[in-house]
Amino acid sequence: MRTLVLARALHPTWASGEASYAYNILKALSMIDNSIMVISSIDSRRFNKAATSDKEIFNQFINTNNILYSHFDCDLNDTNAAYTALKDIVGSEGFDIIHIIYPGILPTKVNSIIKSKITIKYSYLLPSSRLRSLITSFIYKREYIQNNSVDSMLRFAFTTKYLANTYSFDKNVLIIPPAIDTNVFVKKNITKEQILNALNSSKYKIGLENVINSKYIILYLGWLVEDRFPYKIILKALKRFLKHYDASMLIIGRETEKYKEEENAKAIINYARELGVSNNVAVVLKELDEQSKVDLLNAVDLFLFPLTRERLNPPVIDPPMVVLEAMALERPVITSKIQSLPYIIKDGHNGFLLEKIAEEQLYMKMKQALEHNNIGKEASRLIKEKYSIQNIIDILRDVYQ
């Protein structure tokens, strides 16, 4: 079998859920097919901030598995640039399967390269949770029916049953959950001093010493925008929580000008001061390398990932990769009851779900998370059973056979 993987920014850093998702799918494919070609756009901002160790590990993986990896320095939706780049790279190749890992509508010119330059027997489209991927799926379905021979087949691969139900396809649907590399995300003891070592190189950091002085650490990792991190509600809940527990909240945003991350970080610190909890809050902006993320998740006592809106700006991958990563490391997770998360997290059993983002409910869930000792173990058991790379290999092996 010959496989083509067309992806957006399939390279370090792995702070992007989309990139991490694609990388783990590629790891699974490499265990099944020994003839893989990857064509990926490059996110220069993210790639330039990637740790040398992450780049070396990725290159070693590519070389060890004899994967032909090509990239071009533009986004797939940059029509003319992507068209020119793909035209130069692809050539007249015959592939049995193509995996398209892209949460958006491929421009017509880019799509034409795929159809004119590559002979494809089977195509697997892996959509994300975004509405634009729904549109993509219908476009692909229509175009393949119109333009390909009867022998060709388009299959739709979904990350969760929730998405499959949302897209309302009754056939040719393959459920491919996000994969977690449980050989990388391994539970181990990490000291608070090691947290400082991992974060001290950040150019923007406030209150890191607060983490050292607290018994419990609550972590948020992601964009600091309101629909991902509604800081006023969260900090009010933290203020109530601190009356009963010696804790600090470590908030790690992205080191980028996108979404005005530094401005958001300053607003969080100012509001913490207003509430009188600034001595229990640390804010850092940093693109974490994969090992630092593993260490960080191992070091904390609770992982918080609230989402306030389901449709407008959801995480690209459903369920969010970072939630699954935290669960793999036996961290109690508090997140929202939206998208596929209720299918995965059973409230009070392997995590905690918020019906809505409200101070009282969040405060109660934070208390429960520290009082229930088996939550993390149940979460890790679920990841190993349903979301490990081996599980994905088993699903894909049936396809390739």
Side-chain angles (χ1 to χ4, degrees):
M1 301 285 281
R2 295 203 65 205
T3 298
L4 173 65
V5 176
L6 178 63
R8 181 176 70 171
L10 203 176
H11 58 72
T13 66
W14 307 118
S16 160
E18 182 185 346
S20 181
Y21 171 75
Y23 185 22
N24 288 334
I25 291 291
L26 185 59
K27 287 181 180 180
L29 289 172
S30 71
M31 301 297 291
I32 303 168
D33 192 353
N34 60 5
S35 182
I36 299 175
M37 180 178 185
V38 175
I39 301 176
S40 173
S41 61
I42 292 288
D43 182 339
S44 299
R45 179 202 62 80
R46 213 181 77 232
F47 184 73
N48 292 337
K49 291 182 180 296
T52 302
S53 58
D54 276 356
K55 292 179 181 179
E56 290 175 347
I57 292 170
F58 182 61
N59 288 335
Q60 183 179 11
F61 164 76
I62 293 295
N63 294 332
T64 300
N65 291 282
N66 297 314
I67 296 171
L68 183 60
Y69 180 90
S70 300
H71 65 265
F72 51 95
D73 193 13
C74 66
D75 199 332
L76 286 169
N77 61 13
D78 186 350
T79 303
N80 292 326
Y83 174 83
T84 301
L86 282 171
K87 189 175 181 181
D88 291 340
I89 291 173
V90 173
S92 298
E93 301 274 3
F95 292 88
D96 297 294
I97 292 180
I98 177 172
H99 293 268
I100 302 172
I101 306 176
Y102 177 69
I105 302 171
L106 289 179
T108 302
K109 287 184 70 175
V110 174
N111 198 22
S112 69
I113 287 292
I114 298 172
K115 290 189 294 186
S116 65
K117 290 280 189 178
I118 306 172
T119 303
I120 303 168
K121 295 180 181 177
Y122 299 91
S123 178
Y124 289 84
L125 178 69
L126 291 92
S128 72
S129 61
R130 299 233 171 139
L131 177 62
R132 59 189 178 188
S133 291
L134 172 60
I135 299 170
T136 306
S137 297
F138 282 112
I139 288 175
Y140 267 84
K141 187 175 186 180
R142 187 186 70 245
E143 289 189 353
Y144 270 79
I145 290 173
Q146 291 176 348
N147 300 315
N148 288 307
S149 66
V150 177
D151 294 332
S152 295
M153 180 189 295
L154 176 64
R155 292 288 299 269
F156 294 87
F158 295 88
T159 57
T160 62
K161 290 182 180 179
Y162 170 85
L163 279 179
N165 293 335
T166 301
Y167 283 59
S168 301
F169 291 128
D170 56 1
K171 61 181 179 179
N172 291 338
V173 172
L174 179 69
I175 306 297
I176 302 182
I180 300 299
D181 191 341
T182 51
N183 291 321
V184 173
F185 285 83
V186 178
K187 185 184 177 184
K188 57 184 176 181
N189 293 324
I190 299 294
T191 66
K192 294 177 181 178
E193 287 73 16
Q194 286 174 285
I195 295 180
L196 289 183
N197 292 336
L199 300 177
N200 258 333
S201 61
S202 170
K203 294 179 181 178
Y204 188 98
K205 53 184 181 294
I206 296 177
L208 266 181
E209 65 282 356
N210 297 334
V211 174
I212 293 291
N213 298 326
S214 300
K215 181 178 180 180
Y216 298 109
I217 302 174
I218 303 165
L219 174 67
Y220 168 78
L221 178 61
W223 295 107
L224 301 185
V225 291
E226 184 68 20
D227 61 344
R228 301 286 185 90
F229 189 76
Y231 68 91
K232 290 187 177 180
I233 295 173
I234 292 170
L235 292 181
K236 285 179 180 177
L238 175 66
K239 183 175 182 178
R240 294 181 62 182
F241 185 76
L242 291 175
K243 294 178 181 178
H244 307 280
Y245 295 93
D246 176 15
S248 62
M249 180 169 288
L250 176 56
I251 303 161
I252 302 181
R254 305 288 291 276
E255 193 178 359
T256 173
E257 294 180 1
K258 187 177 181 180
Y259 297 140
K260 301 179 180 178
E261 285 288 273
E262 188 168 331
E263 183 178 316
N264 293 334
K266 290 177 181 177
I268 291 169
I269 289 297
N270 288 337
Y271 193 68
R273 288 174 181 147
E274 184 179 325
L275 291 180
V277 298
S278 59
N279 289 334
N280 300 86
V281 174
V283 181
V284 179
L285 301 182
K286 186 173 175 60
E287 299 289 330
L288 294 172
D289 62 86
E290 189 166 55
Q291 190 55 57
S292 292
K293 180 164 65 170
V294 172
D295 290 347
L296 193 62
L297 287 169
N298 266 307
V300 302
D301 301 283
L302 170 61
F303 184 71
L304 181 63
F305 198 77
L307 299 167
T308 60
R309 294 183 298 196
E310 181 167 1
R311 298 284 179 193
L312 297 182
N313 188 32
V316 172
I317 300 300
D318 174 44
M321 292 295 294
V322 70
V323 169
L324 300 182
E325 290 164 351
M327 292 174 71
L329 295 173
E330 300 186 15
R331 298 305 91 186
V333 171
I334 300 176
T335 189
S336 304
K337 194 176 182 179
I338 63 173
Q339 298 179 331
S340 68
L341 291 169
Y343 289 80
I344 298 164
I345 296 177
K346 304 306 177 186
D347 190 49
H349 175 68
N350 59 5
F352 297 92
L353 291 172
L354 298 165
E355 294 283 348
K356 61 179 181 178
I357 308 297
E359 177 188 336
E360 174 66 22
Q361 190 173 152
L362 180 55
Y363 161 67
M364 293 302 298
K365 296 295 184 185
M366 289 164 67
K367 285 186 64 178
Q368 292 171 22
L370 290 187
E371 292 169 358
H372 291 69
N373 296 325
N374 292 326
I375 296 293
K377 294 186 186 308
E378 291 297 327
S380 179
R381 181 179 293 113
L382 175 73
I383 299 302
K384 290 174 181 176
E385 289 177 355
K386 295 188 176 182
Y387 295 95
S388 68
I389 284 183
Q390 185 56 53
N391 185 56
I392 310 307
I393 290 172
D394 293 340
I395 293 173
L396 290 173
R397 185 171 282 123
D398 291 339
V399 173
Y400 276 70
Q401 291 175 346

